[in-house]
Amino acid sequence: MITPAHRTRVSIRGDAFWIDGRPTYEGRSWNGLPIEGLLMNARLVQGIFDDLNPDTRGMWKYPDTGSWDPDRNTDEFVAAMPGWRESGLLAFTINLQGGMPRTAREGDQPWHNSAITEAGGLRVEYMARLSRILDRAGELGMAVILGVFYFGQAQRIGGETAIRRAVDETVDWIFSRGYEHVLLEINNECNVRYTHPVLQPPRVHELVSQAQARSHGGRRLLVSTSYGGGTIPDESVARVADFLLLHGNGVDDPGRIAAMVRETRQVPGYRGVPVLFNEDDHYGFDAPANNCLAAVGERASWGYYDQGRNDYGEGFQSPPVRWDPATSRKRGFFGLMRTITGR
């Protein structure tokens, strides 16, 4: 086992997240709302992005060099992390198969961005980049929500045997590195365009349980999966997941965000675990009512998702990404985080 330089530990007690034996944002409230125990986060899924398809690799070129560089992308991600933490952000989502960039070809995904091989193994170069990010997160006392499968790339994996192998190998890799600050998201939006039945809502709980069943030194991972915007988790997931993930995409009414949290807690099988948005593309951070504040008002964590364009500096999901707060929207989000969390 490789022992990280700083072993940050994330745990859950009731409906609250704890880091290193203390509740997050300990003692903090804002505008009469308790913040303690929440896990404010951002969707930063392209931190280890690469494109293994030479025909599309040029789509992601940096304007100053005219070429794509996956190591530069990860270097700049790591360099930006202390600023996120200083703003009060305690977690981010990163995916082994990335996410949908904003391109003119959204109907398909010809690019090949996957840390997972067709047979379900893990690509060494991707995991090396991920290690750099997770090591720095541990040093900063941040949690990481690690997504395994993405609907735009999961079809490249050969079948259910390979899918299950990828789950096991991901869990074992986390254990082998000694990481205790990683939460696992089996797949992003399990109800959206997956071809493998085991990644779809009727069966995805099997993979949640499979990941939970693996342990090392008496410790297991905290595991869940997410659903598309506006969707309430199924009972099968509510009965086994350690936390419940919601998405606010397409939900324009903050009142509906609040209702989603209440409805999630009424799903049969709900066991009092944390409710967490880790993707929402609604902003208005200076408005008296927005999706972030609506979630916090229901004691649910909230996650910022900024798609952006493929212009360098726009958004967080469209390579090449500027990982610093380069736009007024990003600055608005991090400013609100400082206000809410007391940073």
Side-chain angles (χ1 to χ4, degrees), residues 8-340:
T8 291
R9 296 175 174 87
V10 176
S11 58
I12 293 173
R13 302 189 187 185
D15 68 348
F17 289 97
W18 286 48
I19 292 181
D20 290 340
R22 304 175 74 93
T24 60
Y25 310 116
E26 188 172 15
R28 175 67 178 170
S29 62
W30 175 75
N31 278 2
L33 301 174
I35 307 302
E36 181 175 293
L38 297 185
L39 196 65
M40 304 305 283
N41 65 95
R43 179 177 171 84
L44 307 171
V45 295
Q46 308 287 34
I48 61 172
F49 179 89
D50 198 6
D51 188 353
L52 306 179
N53 181 354
D55 293 334
T56 55
R57 190 176 178 89
M59 295 170 63
W60 326 114
K61 61 186 178 183
Y62 286 96
D64 57 341
T65 65
S67 62
W68 167 248
D69 184 343
D71 289 311
R72 171 179 172 176
N73 177 58
T74 299
D75 288 343
E76 293 180 355
F77 187 106
V78 171
M81 289 171 65
W84 305 335
R85 178 64 182 86
E86 185 59 31
S87 296
L89 201 72
L90 283 184
F92 56 85
T93 298
I94 190 167
N95 288 351
L96 295 185
Q97 296 190 312
M100 170 72 81
R102 178 70 68 192
T103 74
R105 304 169 65 177
E106 287 189 24
D108 59 9
Q109 295 192 32
W111 52 88
H112 187 176
N113 173 40
S114 179
I116 304 168
T117 68
E118 182 180 3
L122 300 178
R123 290 190 164 94
V124 172
E125 65 276 15
Y126 273 84
M127 304 312 286
R129 293 193 295 273
L130 181 60
S131 288
R132 288 154 55 194
I133 290 172
L134 296 185
D135 287 347
R136 188 64 174 128
E139 293 168 358
L140 294 169
M142 300 180 75
V144 178
I145 303 167
L146 178 61
V148 184
F149 306 105
Y150 182 68
F151 59 78
Q153 298 291 321
Q155 73 276 7
R156 299 181 183 278
I157 302 173
E160 183 169 328
T161 298
I163 292 287
R164 290 186 177 277
R165 176 189 171 192
V167 171
D168 287 346
E169 291 213 4
T170 300
V171 173
D172 291 347
W173 181 87
I174 293 168
F175 286 147
S176 74
R177 305 291 302 187
Y179 296 131
E180 299 184 22
H181 59 308
V182 176
L183 309 165
L184 202 66
E185 177 181 1
I186 292 295
N187 54 338
N188 175 81
E189 300 186 346
C190 65
N191 59 325
V192 179
R193 298 198 301 277
Y194 283 96
T195 57
H196 299 291
V198 76
L199 291 172
Q200 297 170 2
R203 294 188 58 201
V204 70
H205 67 281
E206 297 176 21
L207 298 181
V208 174
S209 297
Q210 176 182 325
Q212 291 170 329
R214 299 183 81 80
S215 63
H216 181 86
R219 184 177 71 88
R220 70 166 180 83
L221 296 187
L222 301 170
V223 189
S224 188
T225 193
S226 65
Y227 293 78
T231 305
I232 305 303
D234 290 351
E235 177 181 350
S236 59
V237 168
R239 289 192 180 280
V240 298
D242 295 296
F243 53 98
L244 295 179
L245 291 171
L246 304 179
H247 287 179
N249 306 342
V251 182
D252 298 326
D253 178 12
R256 177 58 193 154
I257 291 291
M260 286 175 62
V261 178
R262 295 192 296 270
E263 291 173 20
T264 297
R265 292 183 174 131
Q266 295 301 314
V267 172
Y270 173 69
R271 305 173 343 274
V273 300
V275 177
L276 184 153
F277 287 85
N278 73 329
E279 182 175 342
D280 193 338
D281 59 355
H282 291 79
Y283 316 114
F285 297 122
D286 57 349
N290 59 55
N291 285 12
C292 175
L293 299 183
V296 171
E298 294 293 331
R299 188 165 170 70
S301 308
W302 191 81
Y304 170 68
Y305 162 43
D306 189 352
Q307 175 74 66
R309 303 189 300 269
N310 285 86
D311 301 327
Y312 187 49
E314 290 286 340
F316 277 137
Q317 191 159 304
S318 296
V321 179
R322 272 193 64 171
W323 294 107
D324 59 333
T327 65
S328 59
R329 178 183 291 169
K330 293 176 183 177
R331 290 190 291 271
F333 166 68
F334 286 111
L336 181 60
M337 286 300 97
R338 285 191 292 271
T339 299
I340 291 175

